[in-house]
Amino acid sequence: MMNKKMTDLKKTTKDQELRKLAMLSERDLMMELRTSEKGLSEEDAKNRLEEYGLNEVSAQKPTPAIIMFLEAFKDPFVYVLALLMVVSAATKDFEAAIVMGLMILASVVIAFIQEYRSQKASLSLKELIENTTAVTREGVTKEIPMDEVVPGDIVTLATGDMIPADAVLIWTKDLFINQSSLTGESMPVEKFVEAGVDRNQENVSALDMQDLVFMGTDVLSGQGKAIILKTGQNTFFGDIAKNATTQRGKTSFDIGLTKVSKFLLRMVMILFPIVFLINGLTKGEWGEAFFFAIAVAVGLTPEMLPMIVTSNLAKGALSLSKHKVIVKELPSIQNLGSMDVLCTDKTGTITEDRVVLVQHLDPMGNVNDNVLDMAFLNSHYQTGWKNLMDIAVINFHEENGIESPFKSVTKLDEIPFDFSRRRLTVVVNADGHQLMITKGAVEEMEAVCTHAEIDGQLVPLTPELRKKMREVNIRMNEQGMRALAVAVKKDVHSEAIYAVEDEKDMTLIGFMGFLDPAKKSAITAIKSLHEHGVNVKVLTGDNDIVAKKVCGDVGIEVSHVVLGSEIDAMSDEQMKEEVEKTNLFAKLNPMQKSRIIETLQSNGHTVGFMGDGINDAPALRKADVGISVDTAADITKDASSIILLEKSLNVLEDGVIEGRKVFSNMMKYIKITISSNFGNVFSILVASAFLPFLPMLSIQLLIQNLIYDIAQLTIPWDNVDEEELAKPVHWETNGLMKFTLCIGPVSSIFDIMTYLVMWYVFSANTIATQSLFQTGWFVVGLVSQTLVVHMVRTRKLPFIQSIASTPVILSSIGAIALGILIVLTPIRDAFDFVKLPANYWGWFILIIVLYLVTVEVAKKLYIHITKEWI
């Protein structure tokens, strides 16, 4: 339990609390939080976790089941049903009210179950990608889950780490923090202990204090240690989590679903008054006409749409999890199906995720062991993010048993890597000398070197020598190698205090050559993506020569390369033209990657971005689908919508196919149901104008829709033709309107034929025999509506060239059997149906067969004219 001073602080605002705690000395702060340099004890940490709870904010917590259930009622289609149920109950039509209540309950319960399962699956999958932080407890520093951090913990921060909670810094080294999630400022902020702000000013915000770091921000470069002050909902971020957490903008999925919903509501608003007026004027029973118009409105809207969409996405997410793909945001599955441009980093994606050190050369291109020794010291003693090249140097040195030329080496200081300098410096005491060792990108290293060491001699870097060195670098690049330069500087300071300004007047000692060979699997994956209509573009921070060779090796056509420096000089209009014809962008910084993606989106593309580096986070947030891997930096995983457990384009190809299946099955339900329902409404309008009674009672229309909708619940598991998976899919409401107006009325022709048969053949032409008429049309309507799904679900010949999945076939048989069972058994009395004459069934079969044949002919004509289908 915190002491009295801590309790008093709780009465003030969070901003004031943090400011007061930050102004304490390190000793007072540790006393305040009852911690020490060795950190908390495990027992104390356990007690504090019980007291303060898990380190989570509300936006990260799972939605309680009861809230999720109530949210399922928030649907415009449910509102229509509820209104109809209330009106029916008010007029004592309790049978209709009960049926409508069951429809509401069925829709809500199924939607709730799917959403609950989806959340449960998502949470269980997220455990596989749990973010961690380095915490010191009882003198031992170890990685623990971020949600287990408590006030008083001492955390160690390095490049790429997310800040786990609000904390005050007690030690820093060139620490730069990205606070854009809290402040909106894109520029990184340098943080250091004993910040030079007038901390006594009352108007200084906690966010302006340079020794405080906050949950929701991340380390861009440098190192630091901090004491956790506040966790979870008590953090600065906790108050504004829902607004401050970076949200992906509206994707093609969101926009498409909104368009469909508006289209449906417009149809309801137009047809409801028409049906109401026609029935009221022709029958004179305005009460019945009102109920019937509402029933028609309900019948027109696919009330299971929200649940069908959720079912599709949830099924897709679970299916992808079996293919080593974790879906963090469900709509991203459909966006994968819509994706027509994939932007990807080079390293580890189209190349093997194992960089091998193959050469260590002096400035003239000769093998030199001193270069290897210096590079090893730099890689071994640096404490930031060890990239693949650092690991390759260390592994090569250790596997070959190379002994150090120095008797004793002690690390003194470090200047961490950052993306603007593109180099890293380590300072060691080697046999009594302060040795400054810097390695980094060749161009940036050349800029800070004035001399070179050749055959043990120190020589000035003349223009001629620089030219020869560049030729060595180019030769390495042309062989597919990534080259890093290594430089040294001795005894710069008497004290071990170094800064970026010391990276000058250095001596270049040589180059390290690394090979990251192209993945064989990437060749087939990229070929398949191209065949499926996805253009692959490479966005890399590496140089263009190496990247161009790798692209050629994996089958990405590169006619020319655009460099980051050229992008900065381009206008938006120039960029729009350039992104369409360029497949390789090199030497990019994070903002340039983001600009390329934004430009592609403005050109109408659905863009995916695949990357795992810290500098990929802005691009991942900007893309329609942000894709990273489970080994990526914390901030990178947080910015992604999809995470791959295997860094492979083959895995991503599975995601694209699954996304297209999800979209195709959603559009099947939407197009088939809306067009079929529209045909029914058109038939009702015709019947209402000429019949002396209602063609079907509202309760009969509702039960027909309920049986049909339940049968459609298996649509997410339907098969999809290969041709439908061959190219990206997009929401087209214009196509939906055209499809509805062309295919829907076909059913009306046979509805009218059914009317004529019931009127003339079976003499169901009076109010006394209206139940026979309604029963006959109910059976034809339900069976034709159910079977036409199999005709319309494919552009091929149904049952022969393309067969629905087993669940869809069984649900169709079940729906037809249930409808006929209602009519053939005493259950019919509850719905005002009557027994049908024996000779009815011959006419029934004839009408159904003629209808299915006519739909097939209409389908072929529609495809021939419009060149499109579902």
Side-chain angles (χ1 to χ4, degrees), residues 445-519:
M445 289 297 295
E446 185 184 335
V448 297
C449 291
T450 56
H451 291 76
E453 186 179 299
I454 302 174
D455 297 329
Q457 301 296 316
L458 201 66
V459 296
L461 273 179
T462 61
E464 293 78 14
L465 188 54
R466 288 181 186 272
K467 183 180 178 182
K468 288 182 180 179
M469 286 166 41
R470 289 169 189 156
E471 289 172 356
V472 172
N473 180 35
I474 290 170
R475 282 200 303 272
M476 295 172 76
N477 291 160
E478 288 173 344
Q479 295 170 34
M481 280 185 278
R482 165 73 187 274
L484 292 183
V486 183
V488 297
K489 194 174 180 182
K490 288 185 179 179
D491 299 322
V492 178
H493 300 295
S494 56
E495 298 293 330
I497 302 173
Y498 286 76
V500 173
E501 291 72 25
D502 293 313
E503 292 177 337
K504 62 182 180 180
D505 302 328
M506 301 193 75
T507 299
L508 185 77
I509 61 172
F511 304 101
M512 309 290 291
F514 301 88
L515 189 63
D516 185 9
K519 282 184 178 178

Side-chain angles (χ1 to χ4, degrees), residues 57 168-169 195 222 240-241 388 445 539 542 616 628 634 673 681 840:
V57 296
V168 63
L169 295 162
I240 54 174
L388 295 172
M445 289 297 295
L539 278 55
D542 288 349
D616 291 326
S628 71
D634 291 345
T673 305
V681 170
Y840 165 84

Side-chain angles (χ1 to χ4, degrees), residues 706-778:
L706 180 61
I707 295 171
Y708 171 77
D709 282 332
I710 291 175
Q712 300 314 299
L713 295 180
T714 55
I715 283 288
W717 287 267
D718 191 21
N719 301 324
V720 178
D721 296 337
E722 288 295 323
E723 294 82 356
E724 303 300 325
L725 305 176
K727 58 183 180 180
V729 289
H730 302 285
W731 295 89
E732 295 290 347
T733 50
N734 291 336
L736 179 59
M737 174 67 80
K738 185 166 53 181
F739 185 93
T740 301
L741 294 177
C742 293
I743 302 300
V746 173
S747 66
S748 299
I749 297 171
F750 292 89
D751 285 333
I752 293 169
M753 183 185 293
T754 305
Y755 296 164
L756 295 173
V757 168
M758 297 307 298
W759 186 276
Y760 291 108
V761 176
F762 297 103
S763 300
N765 48 24
T766 64
I767 294 177
T769 57
Q770 66 174 331
S771 294
L772 178 59
F773 185 100
Q774 292 160 350
T775 307
W777 189 44
F778 169 84

